[in-house]
Amino acid sequence: MATVKTGLRSDVAQSGSERLRLLEAESGGLSVPAALALAVQQAMAGVGGLGGLLHHRDVVSGELRLVAVGGLGPGFSEAWAKMPEGGRTPPARAARSGADIWSADGMGTHASGTAAVPLLGADGPIGALSVLMARPGPPDEEQWSFLASVAAWAVARAGPADGDTTSTGGSRRWPAGDHLGEEPSADHFDEALIAGRPDEVQAVPCSERTFRMGELTVALAEAVTSLDVVRAVQERVLPPFGADGMLVEVIERNRLHILGSTGYSREFLEQIEGVPLTTHTAATGVLYSRTPDFVESPKELLRRYPELESLMITSAKKAWAMLPLIASGRSIGCCVVSFDRERSFSEEQRTLLTALSALVAQALERARLYDAEHARAQKLQRGLLPRTLPSLPAVSAGARYLPAGQSDEVGGDWYDVIPLSSDRVALVVGDVMGHGLAEAVTMARLRTAVRTLADLGIPPDELLAHLGDLIRDLGDDSYATCLYAEYDPVTRICAFSTAGHPPPIVVRPDGTVVRPEPAADPPLGAADPPFGTHELHLPEGSLLVFCTDGLVESATRDIYEGLDQLGRSVSRAATGSSRPSSGSLDELCDTVVSDLLPDREHTDDDAVLFVARTRSTPDRDVASFSLSDGPQAAGEARRHVREQLALWDLSDLEVTTELVVSELVGNVVRHASGPVRLRLLRSRTLICEVYDSSPTAPRIRRATSTDEGGRGLQLVAAVSQRWGTRFLPEGKCIWSEQTLVS
């Protein structure tokens, strides 16, 4: 889609007059080809272009002939060396219509579009000046005016055509175009740098330097973070000028802080970090004047800033280009390009560095906005995840959440560790599909729902069914994957259900990897219950490994290959660790993440790695007793409690524990059905469990002063740290926990 700015330009735009004078000053003594190359370079620098073209009409053939090019390789120059004036390319349309042309056509490059202005002679258009743009959208009015000014200057510098352009008559003639391949190559340029011949580097013509600067424009357009901008400056600005030092500082809270540097010692950087803007330095000077400063020798620097002598000695630099970074009308920082020997700066070099500083400032402002948004998104995401993972009798755990490196939106990946009754633990990992605040809210709702349902003792398959109902209530476009697992340290069985999520990987203590592959259920929002429930018997010290697809799936690796690699990586890291503690799990997570995501800054999806090491309850800490199905069961339970607590040296809990089991067993005898079983667990707490075959849960009721009963569960709640009921396929379990007296 192209747009045309109607109306011929017959004069130079007033806003470009200063630039015209600058061009005229720079072009003194230059040949016509070199002057036209300078015009292309200035056009690119002024509007932030990737490349530039200058075409002139051949009055004999009527074709447009390429007479100057900048920022583009030889192949591109050959492709557009000649073009028919009646064609649809932006240069042809501008030369034909005499109007400014904007087109989304990048002319075979990755440019966002092409801006073309006509070259206006006395009798109408005689060619076109075109710039391949780095940013989406057409130039603004000031930039259009500037391009027209450069085009008018080029016409005035080279002269209008008068008859055959190949003749030798006349004082000025447009070049034949064969000069385009005669300037020093990039190989020569690089060799001069490597050989340490800075004078040759400085002698590189502007078209060669412009080619390199076009690469910088591309790199800045692609830069996402502030560090990307610094890296682009380091890689694309220093070599073309033969510089060996670079410093980028930004203003924060009225101080200058170092964003990135190269070629400076740590001692020097420590001295200048956090300098107040009120300090009289070269950097603050250019920020206040908003004008670049070029210092060609230490003597000149000391004349202006005598107080900087010690800093100058520490830096070991001999010449500096100090460039203010100005974006949106305000100073945001300073870029210093430095050299290890004295040197002078030509007008062309000063102009080019000044233009580059504007490009860097714009890219840096955009990148810092991204950095701020990305930091806020990560803070929100981390606020919705567990701050710390508890170390429980059943498991110790470690986890890593990795936000997408190329997105500033919040993701929906999450994980959790939920303590359950009887030392059991729930391990959860999920992924809400998509990115954004809506997905983060959905994730938070799911995490809250899982914690609530888990506390009710709902088994994994039923819990996922309830989550599916919640997702469906949110709308047809909401989907999530989830894996919910419960581990019992007494039986060493892990029961899990999964909705569209990769199953857990088991790494046994000897390093053997087991990757169960149960029949897959669809994601929440797309699946209907029932969900399958699967069981794993885990040896003591096994690792349960959970992840989201962002960790194991990429453009170069499918999810199955990724899961295999994850298992191998965890196995290597686990067998190489000698400390089976939560600390070593954190180290293990770091090792595995580095293995699977070596370039995490360039990932496009969030990722979670969640690892739990299982523990089992020793047989000596478990006591189970069958009770009679009648009133005598309460007495039997009290006797078993006295005997077992004496064996465990917990006689100080004898009275309260007898009270608890008497009330719980009495409730079963009166309101439920047998068989009745009592189980005692010694852990961080003393756990009493009473099992029966009734699915009805007891509840505390408010007893009045005249009621003869109804206070039993109130007494249990009063002497217990916590108590509750969980449902089993064969009935229920009423449990109570008491704090052990240290």
Side-chain angles (χ1 to χ4, degrees):
M1 185 68 181
T3 58
V4 178
K5 293 186 66 187
T6 60
L8 297 177
R9 288 187 182 270
S10 58
D11 60 339
V12 176
Q14 181 64 34
S15 61
S17 59
E18 291 298 325
R19 294 185 176 94
L20 281 175
R21 285 197 291 272
L22 182 58
L23 274 171
E24 192 64 44
E26 290 184 347
S27 63
L30 291 181
S31 65
V32 170
L36 296 181
L38 177 59
V40 172
Q41 175 257 315
Q42 291 286 10
M44 292 169 53
V47 300
L50 301 177
L53 305 164
L54 199 151
H55 285 86
H56 182 257
R57 183 193 295 114
D58 188 316
V59 297
V60 176
S61 66
E63 292 179 319
L64 292 177
R65 190 182 70 245
L66 184 63
V67 295
V69 64
L72 302 167
F76 186 91
S77 303
E78 294 170 3
W80 300 105
K82 294 181 180 180
M83 65 177 64
E85 186 182 10
R88 296 299 301 167
T89 61
R93 296 175 58 198
R96 184 172 63 250
S97 66
D100 298 343
I101 298 293
W102 161 255
S103 173
D105 176 14
M107 298 184 65
T109 70
H110 55 280
S112 65
T114 304
V117 295
L119 303 177
L120 299 175
D123 299 322
I126 61 172
L129 170 65
S130 310
V131 177
L132 301 171
M133 301 293 288
R135 292 191 174 189
D140 57 31
E141 287 297 324
E142 183 177 353
Q143 290 173 329
W144 279 118
S145 178
F146 171 56
L147 291 178
S149 299
V150 175
W153 179 87
V155 172
R157 187 67 174 80
D162 51 354
D164 186 353
T165 58
T166 61
S167 68
T168 58
S171 59
R172 294 180 179 176
R173 288 293 179 263
W174 292 84
D178 54 359
H179 72 287
L180 293 175
E182 295 177 353
E183 293 173 345
S185 66
D187 292 337
H188 169 85
F189 177 81
D190 291 333
E191 289 169 2
L193 283 178
I194 295 171
R197 302 193 297 272
D199 52 335
E200 291 189 39
V201 174
Q202 295 176 28
V204 171
C206 64
S207 60
E208 175 63 35
R209 205 184 323 272
T210 301
F211 179 81
R212 295 304 180 100
M213 293 307 102
E215 293 179 342
L216 171 65
T217 305
V218 174
L220 291 177
E222 295 175 348
V224 177
T225 68
S226 298
L227 293 181
D228 291 338
V229 174
V230 172
R231 192 178 300 114
V233 174
Q234 178 180 339
E235 295 175 353
R236 307 295 183 182
V237 173
L238 270 61
F241 292 92
D244 62 357
M246 180 273 296
L247 188 66
V248 177
E249 297 177 281
V250 294
I251 300 174
E252 293 179 0
R253 299 182 180 179
N254 294 319
R255 290 178 178 270
L256 276 175
H257 294 277
I258 300 171
L259 186 61
S261 68
T262 186
Y264 288 95
S265 66
R266 178 178 297 180
E267 179 186 1
F268 174 79
L269 296 177
E270 290 175 351
Q271 286 181 279
I272 66 171
E273 167 61 23
V275 170
L277 292 180
T278 54
T279 305
H280 183 57
T281 67
T284 57
V286 299
L287 287 175
Y288 280 114
S289 67
R290 309 181 80 175
T291 303
D293 193 7
F294 300 90
V295 182
E296 300 181 342
S297 68
K299 183 178 180 180
E300 182 181 354
L301 180 69
L302 289 178
R303 188 180 70 251
R304 300 187 195 178
Y305 306 97
E307 65 275 16
L308 299 182
E309 181 175 5
S310 60
L311 274 178
M312 185 190 68
I313 295 173
T314 306
S315 74
K317 303 302 179 185
K318 308 297 184 186
W320 302 264
M322 301 178 186
L323 311 169
L325 300 178
I326 301 172
S328 301
R330 61 187 181 87
S331 298
I332 64 171
C334 178
C335 177
V336 179
V337 179
S338 57
F339 306 81
D340 61 0
R341 64 180 64 190
E342 297 183 10
R343 59 159 296 165
S344 60
F345 296 90
S346 68
E347 286 300 320
E348 179 260 326
Q349 292 165 349
R350 293 175 183 237
T351 301
L352 191 53
L353 283 168
T354 301
L356 290 176
S357 68
L359 296 178
V360 172
Q362 293 170 10
L364 186 58
E365 182 182 43
R366 182 184 69 250
R368 293 185 73 195
L369 288 174
Y370 168 86
D371 290 342
E373 290 297 322
H374 194 57
R376 282 193 287 268
Q378 289 189 31
K379 184 177 181 180
L380 173 59
Q381 175 75 68
R382 296 185 187 282
L384 297 173
L385 295 173
R387 291 182 179 273
T388 58
L389 292 177
S391 180
L392 303 173
V395 298
S396 57
R400 289 295 180 269
Y401 166 74
L402 305 166
Q406 295 183 331
S407 173
D408 60 354
E409 292 188 299
V410 186
D413 292 19
W414 57 289
Y415 59 91
D416 210 347
V417 178
I418 307 172
L420 303 177
S421 63
S422 305
D423 275 355
R424 297 173 308 117
V425 62
L427 306 168
V428 197
V429 63
D431 183 1
V432 179
M433 298 182 185
H435 289 83
L437 288 176
E439 285 73 16
V441 171
T442 299
M443 179 267 283
R445 295 179 69 174
L446 287 176
R447 182 178 177 231
T448 302
V450 168
R451 281 190 158 264
T452 301
L453 295 170
D455 196 49
L456 295 176
I458 296 176
D461 55 339
E462 292 184 23
L463 186 144
L464 290 188
H466 285 292
L467 290 185
D469 293 338
L470 174 59
I471 284 286
R472 278 188 289 272
D473 290 342
L474 298 178
D476 295 335
D477 57 348
S478 294
Y479 298 95
T481 65
C482 186
L483 167 62
Y484 180 86
E486 288 184 359
Y487 173 67
D488 188 336
V490 176
T491 63
R492 302 178 187 175
I493 291 176
C494 175
F496 70 91
S497 294
T498 177
H501 205 89
I505 296 174
V506 179
V507 179
R508 293 174 175 163
D510 62 358
T512 304
V513 178
V514 178
R515 188 158 72 82
E517 298 184 5
D521 285 313
L524 301 173
D528 293 321
F531 292 89
T533 301
H534 317 279
E535 291 187 349
L536 299 170
H537 190 277
L538 304 177
E540 167 86 18
S542 296
L543 292 178
L544 278 168
V545 184
F546 307 85
C547 69
T548 57
D549 58 0
L551 182 70
V552 294
E553 190 174 25
S554 69
T556 59
R557 179 180 62 199
D558 67 35
I559 191 168
Y560 301 104
E561 295 172 337
L563 289 172
D564 288 339
Q565 183 179 349
L566 173 61
R568 292 192 299 268
S569 180
V570 173
S571 177
R572 287 194 302 268
T575 54
S577 174
S578 60
R579 301 190 308 277
S581 64
S582 59
S584 65
L585 285 183
D586 288 335
E587 296 171 8
L588 182 146
C589 288
D590 289 335
T591 301
V592 173
V593 165
S594 298
D595 188 12
L596 270 76
L597 295 178
D599 192 19
R600 68 182 69 175
E601 292 183 359
H602 294 87
T603 57
D604 56 6
D605 194 9
D606 295 356
V608 162
L609 173 64
F610 177 30
V611 181
R613 178 177 279 114
T614 63
R615 304 188 183 104
S616 60
T617 303
D619 292 340
R620 64 179 179 274
D621 291 334
V622 182
S624 185
F625 311 96
S626 295
L627 303 178
S628 302
D629 189 9
Q632 65 272 28
E636 295 174 359
R638 289 192 293 272
R639 185 181 71 254
H640 290 313
V641 164
R642 289 192 297 270
E643 294 173 352
Q644 191 61 47
L645 293 189
L647 289 175
W648 285 343
D649 196 22
L650 295 176
S651 298
D652 50 341
L653 293 178
E654 181 179 308
V655 174
T656 55
T657 306
E658 285 188 38
L659 173 62
V660 168
V661 298
S662 292
E663 294 299 334
L664 296 183
V665 172
N667 260 323
V668 170
V669 171
R670 286 191 297 271
H671 305 293
S673 58
V676 184
R677 183 165 60 93
L678 169 68
R679 188 171 77 165
L680 302 176
L681 302 176
R682 181 178 62 173
S683 181
R684 296 178 182 177
T685 59
L686 177 63
I687 303 168
C688 302
E689 299 176 328
V690 175
Y691 294 82
D692 64 65
S693 59
S694 172
T696 304
R699 60 184 181 87
I700 295 180
R701 65 184 181 89
R702 187 179 184 84
T704 66
S705 57
T706 58
D707 289 337
E708 296 182 359
R711 298 177 180 82
L713 291 181
Q714 293 182 19
L715 292 173
V716 171
V719 300
S720 300
Q721 179 181 336
R722 61 175 188 153
W723 75 281
T725 304
R726 69 174 182 271
F727 295 92
L728 308 169
E730 65 276 8
K732 69 176 182 293
C733 167
I734 311 173
W735 55 271
S736 165
E737 292 184 7
Q738 298 178 75
T739 304
L740 296 181
V741 178
S742 57

